[in-house]
Amino acid sequence: MQSAAVSILAKKIRYSEQMAYNWLWQSAPCFWTGRVDLQFHDVPLSSLKPSECWIDRAMVATHLHTLRNRRALAPLVACNDGSGSWYIHDGNHRYYALHEFLAGNDETHVRVARVVPRAGFRFVYRWFGTYGTYLLEQSAPLLREAAFLRRTFVLVAHQDDETGCAGLLQRLIDPIVVFATDGAPADAYFWKRFDTRAHYAAVRRTEAEAAAIKLRTSRVEFLNDYAPAGFQFHDQELYRMLPVAFNAVCGLVSHYRPDTILVPAYEGGHPDHDACSFLGTLLRRRFGLTVWEMPLYHRSQAGELRCQQFLHSNGTELPVILTNTENQVREMMIATYTSQNDVRDFVSSDVELFRPQVEYDYSAPPHPGPVNYECWKWPITVNEVCRAFENCTRIVENAERNCYTPYSALEQEQSKVSAGA
């Protein structure tokens, strides 16, 4: 219980709510204009969290003098952090003055001007390497309309593909990013400056882990950590390992129990992207989960490389328009991929597109004419990839029809396919 002396001190504190409005109109971030309202509350001093900035003791002394002379003090401007505490946007020096004035009694109630985001906006905590703060950001309609409200399982082929949905990842509550391959092709052209293919794969893994730290909210998994003995998922070769890859992904889905799965679209840009799209369809059928897709890149009929645009629109696309902060975080993620000097050539749009996964015919190419990786002269044809999709479908259906133990049955079938290849 508060002492009588502290109670008297608390009653002597005078506040000017107009001063809080003056700060909002004159000194708050420009982005806040017209997007927030103020509400006034009395809350325990102990529930307030000062921001991480330098404190000028002379300014604290000035506010303490104001309190002792019973002149009006501006309420601390704060937002609710969602856990019952209040993050101070304006008023750090007043906070420390109040703490001293109230003789350290942290349960005394003080006045705060609560910043309340208007519809379509919210406060999100962001970390900038040396300090963190709560930023006002636009809420994504996608989060309401696409059921990306809980745990989302993002299956991508390579370390850096996740930058194609970096804006969405920053808005999701509990994302898990799964990298389906090691990111290291067989061709030495891709890894010769790293001496060995294995070293290149290790570098790419380290970069992906560093990029995830920039997000602060996503967990990462590497499918190769769950591959059975004798199997590895290499860059450009995922289509050759689909049955075993499907088993490994099923294990992760069973473990994490996501509400939604996000995969690349089937667009012929990269065989591994298309393999992840195919695995998304199998997961949808196996688990009955909602699967969404995103575009990465493809070759147009005119031969142009198009990035972050769907091959064909169908009217179900939902955009995520990146805020300045989300763009900055994406840039920090891209910067971690020092082994990839062309990521910005593929990921630069301020708008990310997502839609419910289309019901594709994986036995046929995604579009007429050469696909992108054929244009790049890789030793892979789209017909080979389509045959691999058909073979995997047959293997999975046979295993399910005969109630085989999933791992043993599919691994045996995969061994036969690999031996034939």
Side-chain angles (χ1 to χ4, degrees):
M1 181 179 294
Q2 292 187 138
S3 68
V6 171
S7 297
I8 292 172
L9 284 174
K11 291 178 180 178
K12 288 183 176 180
I13 300 174
R14 296 176 57 231
Y15 299 97
S16 169
E17 296 181 352
Q18 183 60 47
M19 294 171 72
Y21 281 109
N22 290 344
W23 179 88
L24 178 65
W25 296 331
Q26 299 171 12
S27 303
C30 295
F31 184 71
W32 288 21
T33 303
R35 297 182 172 99
V36 299
D37 295 306
L38 293 183
Q39 294 178 356
F40 295 91
H41 304 268
D42 291 328
V43 303
L45 188 65
S46 61
S47 67
L48 292 163
K49 292 181 178 179
S51 58
E52 301 166 13
C53 66
W54 178 72
I55 299 300
D56 184 341
R57 292 304 306 174
M59 291 186 66
V60 174
T62 298
H63 290 304
L64 188 58
H65 182 74
T66 296
L67 289 165
R68 286 171 176 166
N69 285 276
R70 298 200 65 186
R71 293 202 298 269
L73 193 74
L76 308 180
V77 180
C79 70
N80 195 311
D81 70 357
S83 65
S85 297
W86 301 82
Y87 175 84
I88 300 174
H89 285 281
D90 174 66
N92 268 17
H93 293 94
R94 300 195 297 280
Y95 166 82
Y96 288 108
L98 284 164
H99 192 277
E100 189 170 342
F101 181 73
L102 294 170
N105 192 313
D106 289 348
E107 297 310 309
T108 305
H109 282 61
V110 297
R111 185 74 48 82
V112 298
R114 178 189 177 188
V115 187
V116 182
R118 293 184 180 177
F121 299 90
R122 60 176 183 163
F123 279 107
V124 180
Y125 184 81
R126 299 298 185 198
W127 178 253
F128 295 95
T130 57
Y131 74 98
T133 187
Y134 282 84
L135 296 179
L136 182 70
E137 297 183 359
Q138 187 173 8
S139 299
L142 179 62
L143 298 182
R144 298 190 299 272
E145 298 177 40
F148 280 118
L149 286 172
R150 288 177 285 180
R151 179 169 291 176
T152 301
F153 188 96
V154 182
L155 177 64
V156 291
H158 316 111
Q159 299 78 1
D160 73 24
D161 287 347
E162 82 283 9
T163 61
C165 59
L168 176 65
L169 284 172
Q170 293 174 66
R171 303 184 186 192
L172 297 181
I173 295 173
D174 190 17
I176 301 100
V177 178
V178 180
F179 297 102
T181 77
D182 62 359
D187 191 339
Y189 167 82
F190 295 95
W191 51 260
K192 58 185 177 183
R193 66 189 176 100
F194 295 90
D195 296 328
T196 67
R197 183 183 189 181
H199 182 216
Y200 179 54
V203 168
R204 297 207 67 184
R205 178 174 180 136
T206 300
E207 291 171 343
E209 292 169 338
I213 291 173
K214 305 301 181 184
L215 288 171
R216 289 185 59 83
T217 56
S218 65
R219 287 173 283 185
V220 297
E221 292 280 10
F222 300 88
L223 203 60
N224 273 312
D225 292 346
Y226 302 90
F231 294 94
Q232 283 288 290
F233 309 122
H234 296 303
D235 195 322
Q236 300 184 15
E237 300 175 20
L238 184 60
Y239 72 97
R240 297 178 178 173
M241 296 287 167
L242 285 169
V244 171
F246 178 54
N247 268 331
V249 174
C250 283
L252 283 170
V253 170
S254 296
H255 172 73
Y256 282 109
R257 301 176 65 85
D259 302 284
T260 307
I261 294 175
L262 175 64
V263 295
Y266 183 45
E267 55 188 0
H270 193 296
D272 293 340
H273 298 172
D274 292 348
C276 287
S277 173
F278 173 75
L279 290 171
T281 294
L282 295 184
L283 292 170
R284 175 161 49 89
R285 295 170 182 170
R286 169 68 63 86
F287 293 96
L289 292 169
T290 300
V291 177
W292 283 69
E293 62 182 3
M294 61 178 177
L296 291 176
Y297 55 84
H298 66 271
R299 189 72 58 165
S300 73
Q301 295 303 295
E304 299 174 339
L305 188 65
R306 292 183 177 172
C307 304
Q308 294 184 275
Q309 303 175 46
F310 282 111
L311 182 61
H312 302 292
S313 298
N314 63 10
T316 64
E317 293 81 12
L318 291 174
V320 167
I321 302 172
L322 274 64
T323 65
N324 289 336
T325 301
E326 289 165 349
N327 259 318
Q328 290 170 6
V329 172
R330 183 178 69 182
E331 284 299 306
M332 289 191 290
M333 292 173 65
I334 291 174
T336 66
Y337 286 106
T338 56
S339 68
Q340 312 299 305
N341 57 16
D342 62 349
V343 177
R344 288 182 180 85
D345 294 341
F346 298 88
V347 180
S348 61
S349 175
D350 290 337
V351 180
E352 296 173 352
L353 296 175
F354 305 92
R355 71 183 180 193
Q357 188 183 41
V358 172
E359 194 69 49
Y360 294 108
D361 177 7
Y362 291 98
S363 67
H367 60 76
V371 295
N372 181 65
Y373 51 88
E374 291 177 329
C375 294
W376 280 345
K377 306 300 182 184
W378 288 0
I380 307 165
T381 69
V382 68
N383 290 330
E384 286 181 81
V385 175
C386 290
R387 285 198 300 272
F389 293 155
E390 289 184 291
N391 286 337
C392 183
T393 300
R394 175 184 55 80
I395 291 170
V396 170
E397 289 177 349
N398 284 342
E400 291 176 345
R401 186 181 304 113
N402 293 286
C403 300
Y404 292 154
T405 302
Y407 274 88
S408 60
L410 295 191
E411 286 168 19
Q412 289 172 12
E413 290 284 354
Q414 176 70 70
S415 297
K416 295 177 184 176
V417 171
S418 301

